[in-house]
Amino acid sequence: HKPASFKASYTSDTCATLTWSGDYTGMDGGYPWRDVTVFRNVDGGAFSAVKTLSWDVTNWQDNTISSGHRYGYYMVANGPGGTSEKTETLYVCTTPAAFKRLTASKTGASRVELEAEGGSDWADGREFQRTKDSGSTWQQVSLDADGCDASAPAGTVKYRGRLYKLNQGG
């Protein structure tokens, strides 16, 4: 049997927690599982085995992850009869990577176009802020359909932006 009730959850940008349960007892009362193997991919790449655990372990923390990535996990059970089917693939997302570049171009008296490039493709959204006082205070900015701050104040204005993920799974 494959591991049951498989769950993968975000713990931190350096740790994902995996939990599962299993039917360890065969019809003869023996324990047909020898071990379980965890497979992982990073940002949609190829899956590879990252950990093999004893048959009686039902949780594991992957402390080898880092921010700016989306990790996919699945598991299989191994025993004398071979390898089980794999579990469903579950995903854990860490904090999205920052924009590689953010440019602001004045296109009118109170209009500034913002262009953000790079960052994590799987982020749920982006947000921008502006400051008029060299960063002492920041104000949230809503962009119009053209990606512009249509109410930019006069004077020197600086902008910053970030990507965000609402739910670290998926």
Side-chain angles (χ1 to χ4, degrees), residues 43-155:
D43 298 331
F47 278 91
S48 61
V50 291
K51 188 71 172 179
T52 298
L53 302 153
S54 174
W55 67 271
D56 58 347
V57 173
T58 58
N59 65 73
W60 176 65
Q61 289 190 324
D62 184 355
N63 293 309
T64 65
I65 66 174
S66 60
S67 64
H69 298 286
R70 181 177 189 239
Y71 295 91
Y73 294 94
Y74 72 83
M75 300 179 65
V76 297
N78 306 295
T83 300
S84 73
E85 293 180 17
K86 67 179 190 172
T87 62
E88 67 179 307
T89 301
L90 301 176
Y91 294 91
V92 172
C93 298
T94 56
T95 301
F99 295 123
K100 292 191 186 314
R101 190 171 88 149
L102 175 62
T103 56
S105 305
K106 192 156 181 91
T107 59
S110 61
R111 190 171 173 82
V112 174
E113 180 180 1
L114 298 177
E115 280 189 59
E117 297 176 13
S120 300
D121 293 340
W122 43 262
D124 290 329
R126 46 166 94 203
E127 64 183 17
F128 299 94
Q129 295 178 332
R130 68 176 173 227
T131 183
K132 286 180 36 168
D133 56 13
S134 298
S136 293
T137 59
W138 291 89
Q139 178 184 24
Q140 194 74 24
V141 175
S142 294
L143 302 183
D144 64 17
D146 296 325
C148 293
D149 176 4
S151 59

Side-chain angles (χ1 to χ4, degrees), residues 143-168:
L143 302 183
D144 64 17
D146 296 325
C148 293
D149 176 4
S151 59
T156 302
V157 180
K158 292 182 182 181
Y159 289 88
R160 67 182 181 187
R162 73 178 184 113
L163 293 165
Y164 61 86
K165 182 78 179 146
L166 296 173
N167 180 342
Q168 298 304 121

